[in-house]
Amino acid sequence: LAGGVALNFPRREGYAWHEGMIFSRDGVCRPFSTDADGTVGGQGCALVVLKPLDRALADGDHIYAVVAGTATNNDGRAKVGYTAPSVSGQEQVIRAALADAGVDADQVGYVETHGTGTRLGDPIEYAALSAVYGHGVPCALGAVKANIGHLDAAAGVAGFVGAVGVLATQEIPPMANFEA
């Protein structure tokens, strides 16, 4: 089992906005948008069952997705700051995950991003993603934070569940900056 929880008690709605900080001025998170100015908080939890594929098949489990590869890194002194990575560090970890999975970037049609809607983080993430994806075939980007807010300790598993949902439904949920 892998999961995360972000439930704050007592609940306090709202926040004091400050220029240059992580929270959105107008309470809307717009990942990768020209008018993005921050994220919003959220509360929730998510839990997933992870099993080796052969065991899940043998057990007759319903399989929503397969994790084909993973990678981690910490770009240390190359980072923009304590809370923001570097473009090169992000690009390296994306390429390492693709290599671990044995997947070419052109085989990927959707990436669930960190996408906080901040003026610092999103351009870094977008530059790294652009360096890897979208050269041979288009690659859509999504971010659950646009719809449920930033779940702090549960943000990673919430993004994972969002990506699995895209695979299962073959539909990408619209985001605040999405125009049909």
Side-chain angles (χ1 to χ4, degrees):
L1 299 176
V5 178
L7 298 173
N8 303 307
F9 295 99
R11 285 191 68 175
R12 291 187 178 92
E13 303 303 324
Y15 52 84
W17 179 83
H18 299 286
E19 181 73 42
M21 299 306 288
I22 192 170
F23 291 112
S24 168
R25 171 177 260 176
D26 64 1
V28 178
C29 180
R30 297 178 187 85
F32 308 108
S33 179
T34 56
D35 62 347
D37 68 351
T39 194
V40 295
Q43 297 203 47
C45 62
L47 182 71
V48 295
V49 176
L50 302 173
K51 265 189 179 178
L53 181 57
D54 57 347
R55 183 167 161 215
L57 291 168
D59 291 348
D61 294 337
H62 182 91
I63 300 169
Y64 290 92
V66 174
V67 178
T70 63
T72 60
N73 77 347
N74 182 334
D75 45 355
R77 291 191 321 210
K79 292 187 340 183
V80 172
Y82 179 73
T83 61
S86 68
V87 173
S88 63
Q90 289 258 304
E91 182 181 346
Q92 288 169 4
V93 78
I94 294 166
R95 291 189 189 281
L98 289 169
D100 187 53
V103 173
D104 183 79
D106 285 343
Q107 293 175 277
V108 177
Y110 175 78
V111 173
E112 177 64 34
T113 67
H114 187 61
T116 58
T118 61
R119 292 182 181 149
L120 174 63
D122 281 7
I124 292 168
E125 186 174 16
Y126 185 81
L129 291 165
S130 296
V132 177
Y133 298 108
H135 299 288
V137 295
C139 182
L141 303 179
V144 296
K145 288 176 187 72
N147 296 317
I148 63 172
H150 195 316
L151 298 190
D152 297 318
V157 70
F160 180 82
V161 169
V164 170
V166 169
L167 289 171
T169 64
Q170 295 294 298
E171 292 183 29
I172 300 170
M175 298 188 301
N177 60 340
F178 176 79
E179 294 180 24

